[in-house]
Amino acid sequence: MIAIGSDHGGYALKQEIMKHLKERNIEYKDFGCYDESSCDYPVYARLVTHEVTEGRSDKGILICGTGIGISISANKVPGIRAALCTDCFCAEATRQHNDANVLCLGGRVVGSGLAIKIVDTFLDTPFSEDERHKRRIQQIEQ
Ligand code: RB5
């Protein structure tokens, strides 16, 4: 299960991503927002990250205008490793090295074609399980 959320700046891209997840038969839950009215990205960061930390969703996807505000908010939550990605190299590396559990995107930064490739890369890349990466992730949590 994927938990997905956005503010108004990420709403349009979120619609494209949800359409793609549906086409891939990947289950998701949309935690809002539900239209393009101005709203506050920390609200959606909190809803989605709690789904992940409480084990109801395997991963989260969060989108705001830049991806920055929503990633800062998500990374305040213990146990969340949120990665703001603008390319597939970073999406692959953050799964392999950081075991990132939330992908953040900027709806005003990346087009939907690239964003969908980033989402696929993020969801399809496993954590490397390398000891050095596990050690570093433990250090983040301390
Ligand atoms: C909303 O205008 C915008 O500030 C928000 O979507 C995001 O980019 C913040 O980091």
Side-chain angles (χ1 to χ4, degrees):
M1 176 66 69
I2 304 299
I4 189 165
S6 75
D7 74 352
H8 54 290
Y11 176 80
L13 180 57
K14 186 178 66 172
Q15 304 311 304
E16 297 292 330
I17 291 173
M18 290 193 300
K19 186 168 161 257
H20 178 69
L21 293 176
K22 202 169 179 183
E23 282 164 9
R24 282 195 58 183
N25 291 315
I26 295 173
E27 277 195 300
Y28 65 86
K29 275 188 280 185
D30 178 14
F31 288 85
C33 62
Y34 301 112
D35 60 37
E36 289 190 305
S37 313
S38 182
C39 59
D40 301 332
Y41 54 80
V43 170
Y44 306 98
R46 189 163 301 127
L47 291 170
V48 165
T49 55
H50 286 175
E51 278 296 297
V52 175
T53 57
E54 286 163 24
R56 288 187 291 274
S57 292
D58 310 303
K59 292 192 181 73
I61 300 175
L62 284 169
I63 314 162
C64 68
T66 58
I68 296 171
I70 213 155
S71 62
I72 292 171
S73 307
N75 277 314
K76 292 277 182 188
V77 178
I80 290 299
R81 292 176 301 280
L84 171 57
C85 295
T86 53
D87 59 66
C88 293
F89 176 82
C90 288
E92 183 179 55
T94 198
R95 287 290 309 126
Q96 290 172 336
H97 293 207
N98 315 125
D99 197 15
N101 48 14
V102 174
L103 171 66
C104 299
L105 294 164
R108 297 172 184 158
V109 179
V110 288
S112 62
L114 174 57
I116 283 165
K117 291 247 181 242
I118 293 171
V119 166
D120 282 345
T121 304
F122 186 84
L123 297 182
D124 297 343
T125 303
F127 177 49
S128 69
E129 302 289 345
D130 285 354
E131 284 309 315
R132 70 185 191 286
H133 295 314
K134 286 185 180 170
R135 183 181 67 241
R136 291 163 189 163
I137 290 166
Q138 278 169 7
Q139 287 173 10
I140 292 172
E141 300 296 334
Q142 283 163 9

